[in-house]
């Protein structure tokens, strides 16, 4: 396998990821003008010359911090520039289209809730929201001061109106008051949900499976109870659906991209299909290794596949829209700019020939500053690789 490594920064040290000695490596230098840094403020995102100049932000639990919590591409394979989206916790929805990026803010939805779990139905972005019982004080205010116990759950983002509105509320799924869906798995038809119910005396977890009897996007809190079928489930079923899968069972396209890896590299990979349902998580345990597993995200699109590791090593194979296949279909590795200590790359999307890679400052369960990196793949790849 021929693997090309491209560096986005001069004199950058080797990343943690290593390939087998027999793999051919060609290192190319990419000028700094091919990438741009952005960071989040309390109300929007702003460009900055260097990540080291990002203003200090007090760290918060990840459920309460402003950060990109989930991102993915649509499956508009017929478009030269397809769209991509990212859920920004506590802010709104980022919309990517080629080299253009915008944010749709919605204080009523995002201000005091944890948002994430981005999925798609017919290329319409869908995500979930809830309130963390551990860190969010407004959940008890809802219960005791305002008397509100019907929490939001499943939301749809309308890219034309630039607003988010509910599809399913928690009260549509369970009769127990002050209940929230804290996690779910969607296989394209059935929704498997973990529900937390809070009472004066205790916290109760329950599990259900439901599916709509009409098209999902026609549902609303006003009609959902008459148009879904709900069945009881259990914790074992939910855990089985969330269980990490051995890496040797990962999609072939993923394993082919990483064929040059050392078998001793432990990593955990979240694999998403562009425009698809819930992700699957694969674990390469690398028995005998004492290193902490690297986290990574992967996207499988129709004409390309990509993998981003938290240290900034990015793999891509295939052809971007309107472009030829890179190196005859062989994978290419790009080293994104090195982040300061305590920072990681967390997710990515590609739209047109532009890569957007999320980054954040992290310490255990806390998150400080966050934002994203914009990389011109046309100049980075197609002007260098034939």
């Amino acid at each position: 396998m021929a693997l090309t490594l491209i560096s986005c920064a001069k004199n950058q040290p080797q990343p943690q990821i290593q390939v087998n000695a027999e793999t051919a490596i060609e290192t190319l230098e990419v000028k700094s003008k091919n990438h741009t840094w952005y960071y989040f403020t309390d109300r929007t995102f702003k460009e900055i010359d260097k990540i080291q100049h990002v203003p200090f932000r007090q760290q918060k639990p990840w459920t309460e911090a402003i950060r990109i919590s989930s991102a993915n591409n649509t499956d508009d394979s017929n478009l030269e520039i397809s769209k991509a989206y990212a859920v920004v916790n506590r802010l709104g929805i980022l919309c990517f289209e080629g080299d253009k990026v915008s944010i749709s803010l919605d204080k009523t939805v995002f201000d005091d809730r944890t948002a994430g779990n981005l999925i798609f139905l017919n290329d319409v972005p869908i995500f979930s929201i809830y309130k963390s019982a551990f860190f969010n004080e407004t959940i008890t205010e809802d219960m005791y001061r305002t008397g509100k116990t019907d929490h939001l759950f499943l939301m749809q983002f309308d890219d034309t109106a630039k607003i988010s509105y509910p599809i399913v509320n928690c009260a549509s799924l369970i009769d127990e008051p002050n209940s929230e869906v804290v996690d779910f798995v969607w296989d394209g038809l059935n929704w498997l949900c973990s529900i937390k119910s809070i009472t004066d005396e205790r916290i109760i977890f329950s599990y259900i499976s439901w599916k709509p009897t009409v098209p999902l996007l026609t549902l609303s809190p006003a009609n959902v109870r008459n148009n879904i079928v709900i069945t009881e489930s259990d914790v074992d079923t939910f855990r089985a659906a969330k269980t990490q899968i051995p890496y040797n069972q990962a999609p072939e396209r993923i394993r082919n991209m990483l064929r040059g890896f050392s078998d001793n590299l432990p990593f955990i990979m979240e694999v998403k299909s562009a425009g698809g349902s819930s992700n699957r998580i694969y674990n390469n345990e690398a028995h005998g290794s004492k290193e902490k597993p690297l986290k990574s995200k992967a996207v499988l699109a129709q004409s390309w596949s990509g993998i981003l590791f938290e240290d900034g090593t990015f793999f891509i194979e295939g052809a971007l829209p309107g472009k030829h296949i890179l190196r005859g279909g062989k994978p290419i590795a790009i080293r994104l700019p090195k982040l300061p200590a305590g920072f990681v790359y967390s997710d990515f999307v590609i739209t047109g020939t532009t890569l957007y890679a999320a980054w954040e400052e992290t310490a255990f369960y806390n998150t400080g500053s966050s934002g994203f990196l914009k990389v011109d793949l046309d100049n980075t790849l197609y002007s260098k690789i034939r």
Side-chain angles (χ1 to χ4, degrees), residues 38-40 48 50-56 343 359 369-370:
Y38 297 89
Y39 72 97
F40 293 117
I48 198 163
K50 295 181 180 179
I51 192 172
Q52 290 81 359
H53 295 163
V54 171
F56 170 80
F343 287 66
W359 60 264
S369 301
S370 64

Side-chain angles (χ1 to χ4, degrees), residues 98-213:
D99 61 356
K100 298 178 182 178
V101 56
S102 62
I103 189 166
S104 298
L105 305 172
D106 195 331
K107 184 178 178 66
T108 60
V109 172
F110 291 90
D111 193 45
D112 61 352
R113 297 182 176 93
T114 300
N117 293 319
L118 179 66
I119 55 177
F120 291 90
L121 180 60
N122 300 329
D123 286 327
V124 174
I126 298 171
F127 62 98
S128 67
I129 56 176
Y130 74 100
K131 293 187 177 184
S132 170
F134 293 104
F135 304 115
N136 194 327
E137 296 179 355
T138 64
I139 192 170
T140 53
E141 293 177 4
D142 290 344
M143 184 174 179
Y144 296 112
R145 183 173 61 82
T146 67
K148 296 179 180 178
T149 59
D150 182 10
H151 298 290
L152 300 175
F153 161 43
L154 204 61
M155 308 292 295
Q156 171 184 341
F157 177 69
D158 186 331
D159 193 24
T160 301
K162 303 298 181 182
I163 60 172
S164 301
Y165 55 88
I167 301 174
V168 180
N169 285 357
C170 295
S172 304
L173 303 176
I174 187 170
D175 294 327
E176 189 74 28
N178 207 42
S179 298
E180 292 206 286
V181 176
V182 293
D183 203 0
F184 74 88
V185 177
W186 179 52
D187 62 8
L189 178 62
N190 296 288
W191 299 78
L192 184 60
C193 298
S194 172
I195 300 174
K196 178 188 289 186
S197 302
I198 301 177
T199 69
D200 291 332
E201 300 176 349
R202 57 177 179 163
I203 296 176
I204 304 170
F205 281 93
S206 58
Y207 304 87
I208 64 168
S209 175
W210 63 274
K211 61 181 179 180
T213 58

Side-chain angles (χ1 to χ4, degrees), residues 345-362:
Y345 288 101
S346 58
D347 213 335
F348 79 96
V349 296
I350 295 177
T351 166
T353 57
T354 304
L355 164 70
Y356 295 91
W359 60 264
E360 60 184 50
E361 179 187 13
T362 180

Side-chain angles (χ1 to χ4, degrees), residues 6-8 12 15-17 294-295 307-315 333-339 343-346 355 357-358 373:
I6 301 173
S7 175
C8 284
Q12 182 175 315
Q16 293 176 325
I17 294 176
L294 281 172
K295 295 180 181 178
I307 303 170
L308 175 63
F309 285 84
E310 62 181 333
D311 71 342
T313 306
F314 179 70
F315 288 82
I334 304 172
R335 291 177 186 154
L336 300 185
K338 184 177 176 61
L339 296 172
F343 287 66
V344 297
Y345 288 101
S346 58
L355 164 70
L373 174 71

